[in-house]
Amino acid sequence: MARFEDELLEILPRLRRFARSLSRDAADGDDLCQVAIEKALNARDQWQPGTRMDSWMYRITRNAWIDQGRARTRAAQTFLPEEAGVAIGDDGAHAIEARLELALVQRAMAELPDEQREAVALVLVEGLAYKEAAAVLDVPMGTLTSRLVRGRQALLARMGEAA
């Protein structure tokens, strides 16, 4: 089972990004990632060596997110997001511009409907092939393609409005 653990560790950064894109919040995304890893470790005997660990984990993560409730939002935030304190003391113009651009993209992604955000996150951010992403989302390839096109168009429109 060392191979299982090695492959799981290898995709952890990608899995964390996907969980954050689903939850629309860094802390909730980290919690979701932790839940997915726990589920995978408990179900490690169901994973078959030679199959794609990333697709298996994306599906577990998505199912865990659905289990937690898609529409869950934070009622009130007592603390600032983690990102607010990451670069304290950094006055570099490039870093500021990069953070602003990232925040703009994150807001635009958060405004997408769930179906489009999932498709964009899996294909454009995580780099899954259309066939793999369709399998993770359990939808036909045409449905994935349609969601991806609409998601791209919505992102471009939102990004253009913000600029």
Side-chain angles (χ1 to χ4, degrees):
M1 277 294 144
R3 181 172 178 206
F4 174 86
E5 293 166 358
D6 290 343
E7 288 192 39
L8 185 59
L9 285 173
E10 184 178 315
I11 66 158
L12 192 55
R14 294 172 48 209
L15 185 65
R16 187 172 182 223
R17 262 195 322 261
F18 180 61
R20 284 182 170 196
S21 72
L22 288 177
S23 67
R24 301 177 183 154
D25 180 80
D28 288 343
D30 288 344
D31 290 345
L32 176 60
C33 188
Q34 181 177 347
V35 167
I37 291 168
E38 182 179 347
K39 287 180 183 255
L41 290 171
N42 288 333
R44 69 173 37 185
D45 58 324
Q46 295 176 14
W47 180 72
Q48 298 180 7
T51 60
R52 296 221 23 182
M53 173 67 80
D54 57 353
S55 295
W56 188 66
M57 285 303 302
Y58 288 141
R59 180 168 290 247
I60 290 173
T61 303
R62 182 173 180 264
N63 289 341
W65 177 64
I66 290 169
D67 290 345
Q68 291 179 356
R70 269 186 225 201
R72 188 175 91 114
T73 56
R74 291 184 172 255
Q77 287 190 336
T78 307
F79 301 103
L80 290 173
E82 174 185 339
E83 295 80 25
V86 169
I88 290 178
D90 180 13
D91 62 351
H94 180 69
I96 292 170
E97 287 179 29
R99 283 193 305 273
L100 290 173
E101 186 70 22
L102 178 60
L104 179 65
V105 172
Q106 287 174 329
R107 278 195 305 273
M109 281 284 287
E111 292 174 4
L112 290 178
D114 293 339
E115 298 82 17
Q116 292 175 12
R117 193 177 66 257
E118 290 172 345
V120 168
L122 287 173
V123 175
L124 299 180
V125 178
E126 297 305 326
L128 260 63
Y130 284 28
K131 185 176 181 180
E132 293 168 339
V136 168
L137 297 175
D138 197 25
V139 297
M141 183 97 74
T143 302
L144 173 78
T145 303
S146 175
R147 290 177 183 177
L148 188 58
V149 167
R150 287 193 315 268
R152 272 190 195 135
Q153 290 171 343
L155 279 176
L156 289 173
R158 284 179 175 91
M159 298 295 289
E161 290 172 5

